[in-house]
Amino acid sequence: MILELDCGNSFIKWRVLEASNARISAEGVVGSDDALIESLIALPGLLLTRCRLVSVRALEETDKLVAALVEAFGVTVSCAGSAREMAGVRNGYEEFERLGLDRWLAMLGAYKLASGACVVLDFGTAATADFIDVDGQHLGGFICPGLPLMRNQLRTHTRKIRYDDAAAERALERLSPGRTTVEAVERGCTLMLRGFVLTQLELARGYWGEEFTVFLTGGDADLVRDAAPQARLIPDLVFVGLAMACPLS
């Protein structure tokens, strides 16, 4: 069995694949290293043979997780790293190692699936956009606060904005003007993200007309799907790139 990990700033997304056919046998999202180990140990019949991961955390945090995995399961862990060029994609950053690894792997996966020009729109803690042309050249990208950051900033700096996650979920059942604070905040932030999507599509059309593929990924991608109905929604796009960056065969 193969363990794959996407270690973000807020959560660890994990999944276990059958080594023989790459079928997903278990998956989940946790908030800490300990919770990850506990979730894996609880799986009946788990027999990990290999592990690969991508992490945007500090090196010390990543090393601590790797050590915990080795101790708990005795597996060798392969960690994705930065590259100037890989799988036909050329990193567009002036300092290629400064590009977030999650963005890099998502681009690798997207370019493989698109076989041409594409835009990757990722909606997690941050919202990001990356542009890859038909020849695999990364043209650059954009980063702005995602829904969690926008929401938390308003909660932190505005005393009267207080509500729980359940109220936030109910508020997003529609996008008419809010008649409560929670509705106004949640719907306003969602519309800002949709505006971000529309701007990226306009830029892409300036480059390539209609000859490009749009990919949506990340935990909040569903919230913006209506703004890009032609897009391909692939929640595990980073894992597609991870398999390319860390082949285990």
Side-chain angles (χ1 to χ4, degrees), residues 11 14 25 41-42 58 83 101 112 123 149 163 167 182 198 204 209 219 221-222 225 233 240:
F11 300 101
W14 62 270
S25 61
I41 289 175
L101 284 173
K112 175 184 178 180
F123 297 91
L149 285 178
Y163 54 85
V182 60
L198 295 175
D222 269 333
R225 196 171 187 180
L233 177 63
V240 177

Side-chain angles (χ1 to χ4, degrees), residues 148-163:
L149 285 178
M150 288 192 284
R151 176 191 294 134
N152 290 339
Q153 284 297 302
L154 286 168
R155 285 176 172 176
T156 300
H157 297 287
T158 308
R159 291 183 179 181
K160 291 186 177 181
I161 295 181
R162 296 288 185 273
Y163 54 85

Side-chain angles (χ1 to χ4, degrees), residues 12 14 21 23 27 40 47 64-66 79 84 91 99 105 121 124 134 141-142 155 157 167 203 207 215 224 242 248:
I12 301 173
W14 62 270
N21 55 17
R23 182 180 64 85
E27 60 186 336
L40 293 172
L47 184 59
K64 181 181 177 183
L65 174 58
V66 169
C79 300
R84 175 69 70 187
N91 194 317
L99 177 67
L105 295 187
L121 302 175
V134 67
F142 300 94
R155 285 176 172 176
H157 297 287
L203 288 170
Y207 284 127
F215 292 92
V224 301
L242 179 60
L248 297 177

Side-chain angles (χ1 to χ4, degrees), residues 32-103:
S32 69
D33 295 0
D34 290 342
L36 172 66
I37 301 297
E38 291 173 4
S39 296
L40 293 172
I41 289 175
L43 293 176
L46 180 71
L47 184 59
L48 295 179
T49 56
R50 291 169 287 179
C51 174
R52 57 189 170 206
L53 68 79
V54 56
S55 175
V56 298
R57 298 173 165 192
L59 181 59
E60 295 78 8
E61 292 180 275
T62 302
D63 288 345
K64 181 181 177 183
L65 174 58
V66 169
L69 292 168
V70 171
E71 180 179 357
F73 305 106
V75 292
T76 299
V77 181
S78 299
C79 300
S82 300
R84 175 69 70 187
E85 183 173 351
M86 182 179 292
V89 180
R90 296 183 299 282
N91 194 317
Y93 262 31
E94 295 177 0
E95 299 176 71
F96 73 88
E97 64 277 5
R98 303 280 291 180
L99 177 67
L101 284 173
D102 52 345
R103 290 171 62 196

Side-chain angles (χ1 to χ4, degrees), residues 76-246:
T76 299
V77 181
S78 299
C79 300
S82 300
R84 175 69 70 187
E85 183 173 351
M86 182 179 292
V89 180
R90 296 183 299 282
N91 194 317
Y93 262 31
E94 295 177 0
E95 299 176 71
F96 73 88
E97 64 277 5
R98 303 280 291 180
L99 177 67
L101 284 173
D102 52 345
R103 290 171 62 196
W104 175 237
L105 295 187
M107 286 192 291
L108 296 182
Y111 187 69
K112 175 184 178 180
L113 296 174
S115 298
C118 54
V119 182
V120 181
L121 302 175
D122 191 338
F123 297 91
T125 303
T128 64
D130 283 289
F131 295 74
I132 305 97
D133 72 13
V134 67
D135 296 318
Q137 178 62 54
H138 174 222
L139 304 180
F142 300 94
I143 305 173
C144 71
L147 185 59
L149 285 178
M150 288 192 284
R151 176 191 294 134
N152 290 339
Q153 284 297 302
L154 286 168
R155 285 176 172 176
T156 300
H157 297 287
T158 308
R159 291 183 179 181
K160 291 186 177 181
I161 295 181
R162 296 288 185 273
Y163 54 85
D164 58 23
D165 292 341
E169 186 174 348
R170 290 193 300 271
L172 290 175
E173 292 175 355
R174 60 183 62 87
L175 288 177
S176 55
R179 300 182 65 181
T180 65
T181 298
V182 60
E183 291 177 353
V185 170
E186 293 297 316
R187 296 174 187 178
C189 291
T190 298
L191 289 175
M192 288 189 71
L193 290 183
R194 292 190 177 195
F196 178 78
V197 171
L198 295 175
T199 300
Q200 308 315 307
L201 297 182
E202 183 180 350
L203 288 170
R205 292 188 185 101
Y207 284 127
W208 307 305
E210 298 296 332
E211 299 300 316
F212 63 94
T213 304
V214 183
F215 292 92
L216 296 179
T217 191
D220 288 324
D222 269 333
L223 296 179
V224 301
R225 196 171 187 180
D226 288 349
Q230 77 276 37
R232 297 178 62 177
L233 177 63
I234 303 184
D236 294 332
L237 189 57
V238 168
F239 285 138
V240 177
L242 179 60
M244 299 164 66
C246 299

